[in-house]
Amino acid sequence: MRYNKNAVASGVALTVAMTALSAQAQQAPAQRQQQLDDVQVTANRLPQSQADVLASTTIIDRAEIERSQADSVVELLQNRAGIEIAQTGAPGSLTSLFIRGSESDHSVVLIDGVRVNSATSGGASLEFLPVEAIKRIEIVRGPRAAAYGADAIGGVIQIFTRRGGDGTRGALNLRVGENSTNKQNLFVSTGDDDTRLNASLFRRDGDGFNATEADTSGERDGFERSGGQLGLSHRFNDRVDFSFNALRQNFDTDYDDCYPVGALGASEDCRTEGYLQTFGGQLDVALDTDWNMILTAGHFDEQREERYNGERNSRTESHRNELGLQHRFTRGNGVDVLGVDYREERLDYDDYAYGSRYQKDSRENYGLYAMVQRQYGPHEVSGSLRYDDDSRFGDETTGNLGYAYHLTRFQRIGVSYGTAFKAPNLIDLYGPYGTNPDLDAETSKTLEAFWALDRGPWDARVSVFESRIDDLISYDPTTYIPYNVDEARIRGVELSGGWQQGGLALRASLTHQDPEDRDTGDRLKRRARTFGRVDADYSLAAWSVGATLRAAGDRRDTQFAFPYGDTTTAGYGVVDLRTAWQVTPTVELSAKLENAFDKDYHLVDGYDTQDRYLEGGVKLSF
């Protein structure tokens, strides 16, 4: 593997040129007072106020997670601005994430900075990520390949696990629900100004519901997940900080529609069991008052074992190691970033049924990136450039440019342009069935314009975007061999905003898009033209009540049953209700009613969703 010297030189030159230009600019006004909840790190891989980020972002903090009483990351993300999720049945079943109409493997998902996308399919197992261990979720929409490399065409979602604080505290949460659902969570933390430690234990299990319409046996597809999380941070002195995070999640899930060896048709006795785990560490060293060096290391494992009719069918393990070095230079009116990262991933695959195997089962990627951001009076500019060298398909250079103008202290308008790419998955390049080692990377170009308001209790944003994705990977319907052929154009507008004052909190988002296959003129499958979400919560003294409306229009899909072919899945609107009562400072009772009006709807053709569901519990704090 060889680095493209011109691309590297361009990145360095960009940083030098912007730094020199800033020396001639006026000094920026005093920095805005930042609140912790307003600071995000995902858009550009460094801490920034939401008001300083040009990308379209959403933050879901711990308070919102607890208020929502959500049981999964899928529930937290579904129908937010730009985000659609398809799920094939009961909790724990397979999910697909679509950001701004892009493909399900066109997004990067991180846990504490560690990438958790599968090394085989490229998707992330959102269905198994525990909300009990999550402190906050940051969503960035639009291309971020210039920061993260391959796969960040639609966007990036980063999940931060919980942290310790000053003093010693803890909470025990016990919940029960219909379908024999049980949930337990224990969180404890201790710390002082320099050292903080926290740990979580969690478990959830239930009988679930029947995954498919075709199964009339009345059986239920149950699930069980359990795990733990650990966090440690330490400040050695005013210049050196260290943090470490670990997460482990075991899962065991039933599902329908698998094909055992020798069977004449699909079986409803299907089961996935395995685990997902991440380890991450970061060392932050202040080399000077305006110069920080950040060293990061991460490891990811995922194992899935499939059992059909009680027999082992296959076992797939994904493993990934990551290393990163970043330098941040704080300027009077902005920031410069230079970084390099390394990623190595491999998989272990056992096919107990047919004995097939991967032709090649590992890959490496080296990345070099640079970013600059400046403010000149009411003008903001940002630029980033990245070069990636992948051992399996070659090199790629991506970039982002952005500009914003402050109309007032509270309003701004802006425009951005970005490129991104998706490296072919190992399963498409060298998998056991239908492979093509000559696949090219999928590439994209995105143009976006926005207006944003941030004033006191109000915030709002309108984004208009167009993405063109070339060399989409498609599959021959007879041989299942992947090949580059398709082109997609995705146009859309996102509206999002909120208001919070006193005891009332409102959040709403609406997305209208046209994700079009340019070869056929058809809408891309499992994407609605219009979808949205409204969250409303009100608290008064010790009581709180809330509701969520999730809605989406119809979607094209593949017909689940004979005669197969294309079909249309109807639109839906679902209302969830919730309430909580703080009985004493240490005791809280809560309950929720999902799908309150018992709406019969589908996210994937032929697969059922949760009907009306009641759950309640108690939280004991100490």
Side-chain angles (χ1 to χ4, degrees):
M1 294 177 290
R2 296 189 301 272
Y3 280 111
N4 184 321
K5 295 182 179 180
N6 291 333
V8 177
S10 297
V12 177
L14 175 63
T15 303
V16 174
M18 292 299 291
T19 304
L21 181 60
S22 69
Q24 303 175 19
Q26 296 179 343
Q27 291 294 317
Q31 293 182 339
R32 291 178 289 270
Q33 181 68 30
Q34 297 181 5
Q35 297 181 351
L36 180 61
D37 288 344
D38 183 50
V39 175
Q40 64 83 49
V41 302
T42 305
N44 294 309
R45 298 180 71 165
L46 75 159
Q48 291 179 291
S49 166
Q50 286 274 74
D52 292 330
V53 176
L54 302 187
S56 178
T57 61
T58 297
I59 292 177
I60 306 172
D61 60 19
R62 184 65 200 172
E64 183 175 355
I65 293 172
E66 295 191 354
R67 196 164 56 233
S68 72
Q69 301 182 41
D71 287 320
S72 68
V73 173
V74 174
E75 291 181 37
L76 288 171
L77 297 180
Q78 182 69 279
N79 295 77
R80 291 186 185 267
I83 293 182
E84 298 173 273
I85 295 179
Q87 187 167 24
T88 55
S93 57
L94 186 65
T95 59
S96 298
L97 168 70
F98 305 100
I99 301 182
R100 285 190 169 178
S102 61
E103 295 290 333
S104 59
D105 57 357
H106 284 181
S107 57
V108 170
V109 179
L110 309 166
I111 297 180
D112 294 322
V114 179
R115 185 181 293 227
V116 296
N117 298 72
S118 168
T120 56
S121 66
S125 299
L126 297 176
E127 64 272 20
F128 297 130
L129 302 182
V131 296
E132 299 87 352
I134 297 175
K135 176 186 178 183
R136 61 193 270 128
I137 300 175
E138 296 181 0
I139 305 166
V140 184
R141 293 171 287 273
R144 308 312 294 172
Y148 293 96
D151 310 337
I153 290 178
V156 177
I157 294 176
Q158 178 153 207
I159 296 169
F160 295 90
T161 55
R162 299 177 73 175
R163 302 287 191 269
D166 291 340
T168 300
R169 59 190 176 91
L172 175 64
N173 200 331
L174 305 172
R175 299 180 69 85
V176 295
E178 294 183 277
N179 305 328
S180 302
T181 302
N182 294 278
K183 182 178 178 181
Q184 305 90 33
N185 169 228
L186 174 66
F187 172 78
V188 293
S189 71
T190 186
D192 53 30
D193 290 341
D194 294 325
T195 304
R196 298 181 177 186
L197 175 68
N198 70 275
S200 295
L201 294 174
F202 40 83
R203 186 177 187 276
R204 184 179 180 229
D205 65 273
D207 291 342
F209 54 87
N210 200 339
T212 58
E213 287 184 304
D215 180 6
T216 58
S217 66
E219 61 90 26
R220 294 174 177 270
D221 294 300
F223 63 92
E224 178 181 344
R225 62 173 176 82
S226 60
Q229 179 263 335
L230 178 68
L232 170 67
S233 63
H234 179 69
R235 177 183 291 270
F236 292 96
N237 53 51
D238 290 341
R239 289 179 173 270
V240 182
D241 292 283
F242 171 77
S243 64
F244 172 80
N245 300 284
L247 173 69
R248 168 81 179 212
Q249 173 79 70
N250 299 319
F251 52 83
D252 188 339
T253 302
D254 297 332
Y255 64 100
D256 292 342
D257 196 31
C258 59
Y259 291 84
V261 176
L264 298 178
S267 171
E268 312 304 338
D269 182 9
C270 318
R271 180 179 171 188
T272 297
E273 60 182 44
Y275 64 87
L276 178 154
Q277 62 185 17
T278 63
F279 304 91
Q282 177 171 309
L283 181 67
D284 192 326
V285 181
L287 299 176
D288 206 339
T289 56
D290 58 357
W291 180 8
N292 280 67
M293 179 183 72
I294 299 92
L295 293 168
T296 58
H299 178 78
F300 163 73
D301 297 302
E302 182 180 29
Q303 182 193 90
R304 286 174 176 262
E305 182 174 280
E306 306 295 332
R307 290 179 175 265
Y308 301 165
N309 291 342
E311 299 293 329
R312 298 173 72 186
N313 185 78
S314 65
R315 180 183 60 86
T316 305
E317 293 185 7
S318 293
H319 306 282
R320 181 178 295 112
N321 294 306
E322 300 178 343
L323 293 172
L325 172 63
Q326 184 187 92
H327 288 269
R328 299 173 188 164
F329 304 91
T330 304
R331 310 302 183 188
N333 63 335
V335 62
D336 301 331
V337 175
L338 284 173
V340 60
D341 53 41
Y342 167 78
R343 184 170 67 252
E344 176 265 337
E345 58 188 31
R346 60 181 175 84
L347 58 90
D348 295 319
Y349 177 74
D350 290 313
D351 185 342
Y352 304 113
Y354 300 101
S356 59
R357 56 183 300 174
Y358 279 73
Q359 301 170 37
K360 297 181 180 180
D361 56 12
S362 64
R363 72 195 309 168
E364 294 179 311
N365 187 92
Y366 296 86
L368 178 64
Y369 61 94
M371 191 278 290
V372 294
Q373 186 161 336
R374 293 290 184 273
Q375 182 167 343
Y376 307 104
H379 305 277
E380 285 184 68
V381 294
S382 68
S384 55
L385 189 68
R386 180 181 172 103
Y387 172 78
D388 283 278
D389 189 350
D390 187 287
S391 62
R392 293 304 180 196
F393 85 94
D395 59 90
E396 196 76 33
T397 302
T398 53
N400 277 78
L401 290 173
Y403 168 79
Y405 177 76
H406 288 254
L407 298 171
T408 68
R409 289 175 55 199
F410 312 106
Q411 296 186 69
R412 58 179 179 157
I413 57 174
V415 63
S416 64
Y417 174 80
T419 61
F421 75 102
K422 169 72 180 76
N425 301 320
L426 284 176
I427 196 170
D428 291 331
L429 289 170
Y430 311 110
Y433 311 104
T435 62
N436 182 356
D438 297 321
L439 286 172
D440 292 326
E442 300 170 275
T443 60
S444 73
K445 300 176 181 178
T446 299
L447 182 65
E448 178 177 351
F450 72 89
W451 167 84
L453 167 70
D454 188 357
R455 181 171 186 173
W458 288 99
D459 69 271
R461 183 179 175 112
V462 179
S463 298
V464 180
F465 61 89
E466 177 178 290
S467 297
R468 292 181 177 269
I469 306 174
D470 295 321
D471 291 326
L472 276 177
I473 295 175
S474 187
Y475 299 86
D476 187 286
T478 57
T479 65
Y480 302 104
I481 294 177
Y483 60 100
N484 295 102
V485 63
D486 292 340
E487 176 186 356
R489 184 195 65 195
I490 306 169
R491 290 174 173 170
V493 56
E494 294 169 351
L495 294 83
S496 61
W499 183 76
Q500 184 169 355
Q501 190 161 356
L504 182 62
L506 300 173
R507 298 296 310 173
S509 62
L510 181 69
T511 302
H512 181 75
Q513 61 185 9
D514 181 20
E516 180 185 0
D517 184 329
R518 297 291 285 171
D519 288 354
T520 64
D522 294 330
R523 192 191 338 163
L524 297 177
K525 290 185 176 181
R526 297 185 181 173
R527 278 77 141 190
R529 289 198 186 278
T530 305
F531 60 92
R533 175 179 176 133
V534 178
D535 293 277
D537 290 274
Y538 181 70
S539 60
L540 179 63
W543 286 93
S544 65
V545 293
T548 295
L549 168 64
R550 296 175 285 112
D554 62 58
R555 286 137 289 139
R556 291 183 64 245
D557 208 337
T558 300
Q559 191 168 346
F560 177 75
F562 184 82
Y564 308 106
D566 292 343
T567 188
T568 298
T569 304
Y572 65 88
V574 178
V575 175
D576 302 325
L577 304 176
R578 53 189 172 270
T579 186
W581 176 32
Q582 192 72 47
V583 183
T584 71
T586 59
V587 179
E588 179 188 75
L589 300 178
S590 61
K592 67 175 181 177
L593 185 62
E594 293 182 3
N595 195 0
F597 300 107
D598 205 17
K599 176 71 174 179
D600 184 12
Y601 70 103
H602 302 278
L603 298 175
V604 177
D605 182 72
Y607 287 90
D608 291 327
T609 54
Q610 179 69 63
D611 52 13
R612 184 186 292 120
Y613 171 78
L614 177 64
E615 181 181 292
V618 58
K619 178 181 178 182
L620 307 175
S621 302
F622 54 89

